[in-house]
Amino acid sequence: MDEQIHREVCIASSPQALQECYGVLAQRNALDPKTYEAAIEQMRRHGFHVAYVRSMHQVVVCAATYLVLPLLGSKQLQVHDFATDLHHRGHGYGKTLMDWLIAKAEAERCSEVVVHTSCEAQAQRQQAFLLCKGFVIDGFRFT
């Protein structure tokens, strides 16, 4: 099937799929494999999911997501660690996954999709992508 026409978004539920997503996420963040596995397992118990898209049997983009109901505010789909494989950027895979996440948020009756990014130089391309998708920068995070 033509990869340009059919790009299915999946939820990583098996250890193998989560490991494949690790390979893409580790390109963006310095993640220790054992820390990643333990964190994912703990977070999945609280509604956390990793969504991904494959091309030619390889994970090319993934995003860590969960639903949040803030004390003040309305339901949100929060996206952490949205990452596209370095060799597959600029081919529409990120758009496919982001469109799916937005549709999921609408289906879950979320008021907004919140995407957490960093201000590092490597995140500038991601921020430009999000601005083109209609997202706005509405705050800052202090750590």
Side-chain angles (χ1 to χ4, degrees):
M1 197 172 285
D2 187 348
E3 285 292 323
Q4 298 302 317
I5 296 170
H6 182 74
R7 295 180 180 182
E8 183 179 2
V9 176
C10 302
I11 300 295
S13 56
S14 71
Q16 179 183 351
L18 288 167
Q19 188 61 37
E20 290 178 66
C21 290
Y22 167 80
V24 176
L25 291 169
Q27 293 175 16
R28 182 167 164 74
N29 299 307
L31 294 172
D32 170 63
K34 292 196 183 306
T35 303
Y36 167 78
E37 288 177 25
I40 292 290
E41 190 56 40
Q42 182 177 12
M43 293 164 68
R44 284 174 62 186
R45 287 184 240 140
H46 300 284
F48 175 87
H49 299 284
V50 178
Y52 67 94
V53 174
R54 286 183 185 277
S55 174
M56 305 300 287
H57 308 291
Q58 175 185 355
V59 172
V60 294
V61 62
C62 54
T65 70
Y66 57 94
L67 296 172
V68 174
L69 184 57
L71 180 61
L72 300 174
S74 53
K75 195 174 183 183
Q76 304 170 343
L77 176 70
Q78 297 219 354
V79 180
H80 291 266
D81 299 315
F82 189 95
T84 303
D85 181 82
L86 295 171
H87 303 292
H88 292 88
R89 291 182 181 168
H91 298 285
Y93 297 111
K95 179 187 180 315
T96 297
L97 182 54
M98 187 56 68
D99 289 347
W100 184 87
L101 292 169
I102 292 168
K104 176 180 174 51
E106 290 171 356
E108 293 282 349
R109 300 189 195 296
C110 294
S111 64
E112 61 187 350
V113 176
V114 177
V115 182
H116 298 272
T117 65
S118 68
C119 294
E120 299 169 13
Q122 69 182 22
Q124 289 178 356
R125 184 173 177 159
Q126 184 183 44
Q127 290 170 0
F129 165 76
L130 292 168
L131 290 169
C132 287
K133 291 292 295 170
F135 286 83
V136 296
I137 299 171
D138 73 347
F140 297 94
R141 181 178 153 203
F142 296 89
T143 59

